[in-house]
Amino acid sequence: MKQDGFTLIELMIVVAIVAIIAAIALPSILRAKIAANETSAIEGLRIISEAEVVFYVQTMRPDPGTGNALYGDLSDLGTALPPFIDRVLQEGEKSGYTYDIALNDNPLGPGYEATAEPTAYPRSGIRTFFVNDEGVIRFNTDGTSATSTSPPIN
C-alpha cells in the first residue's frame, strides 16, 4: 500500500532545520533594524537642525522679554505654514526613537537642544543623539543622554 504525505520524523527534521536557520538569521535581522533606527534618528536630527535654521530666519518671532528671534519646538516646526517637519516627527516618536527639543535664551542669543533617544534601549537603538544650534550631531553609546560634550558623528 502506498502512503501519501510525510512521516513524523521528516516533519521534525524540517522544523529543526527551520529553527536553526532562524536562530542564525535573527541576530543579524535585529542588528540591521537597530542600525536602520539609528540612521533614521540621525536623519531626523538633521531635518530638525535645518528646520530650526529656516524657522529662525523666516519667522523672526521675537521673544517678548529680549526682542531676540526664537527657535521653535516640535509643535512650532510642524504647524508652521508650510510645515518644516513632517507630522510623524512633530509627534516626537519615529522609527524607535523619541525626539525632544529644549529651547533656551542665553545672554549670547537664543538656542535649542534637540535629542533623539531609543524608545526601548537597547532593543530599538544603542546610541543616543544630540544636536544644538551649532548643527553638529553628537552621540553616546553608554545609554546616557548625549550632550554638547559627546563625540560628534563622522
Side-chain angles (χ1 to χ4, degrees), residues 85-144:
I85 59 174
D86 65 41
R87 178 119 9 236
V88 176
L89 193 54
Q90 175 192 353
E91 291 173 3
E93 192 170 316
K94 184 176 183 179
S95 299
Y97 272 78
T98 302
Y99 297 84
D100 189 36
I101 297 176
L103 303 175
N104 56 52
D105 190 14
N106 58 44
L108 301 175
Y112 71 92
E113 295 179 347
T115 58
E117 299 191 359
T119 54
Y121 178 85
R123 288 177 296 153
S124 63
I126 297 171
R127 297 188 291 174
T128 59
F129 300 98
F130 170 91
V131 68
N132 61 9
D133 45 286
E134 294 174 354
V136 177
I137 298 176
R138 300 177 179 279
F139 72 98
N140 268 350
T141 57
D142 60 4
T144 61

Side-chain angles (χ1 to χ4, degrees), residues 1 4 6 8 25 34 49-51 59 84 86 105 115 122-124 132 134 143 151:
M1 169 189 302
D4 291 335
F6 301 102
L8 181 59
I34 288 171
S49 179
E50 292 171 5
T59 62
F84 297 107
D86 65 41
D105 190 14
T115 58
R123 288 177 296 153
S124 63
N132 61 9
E134 294 174 354

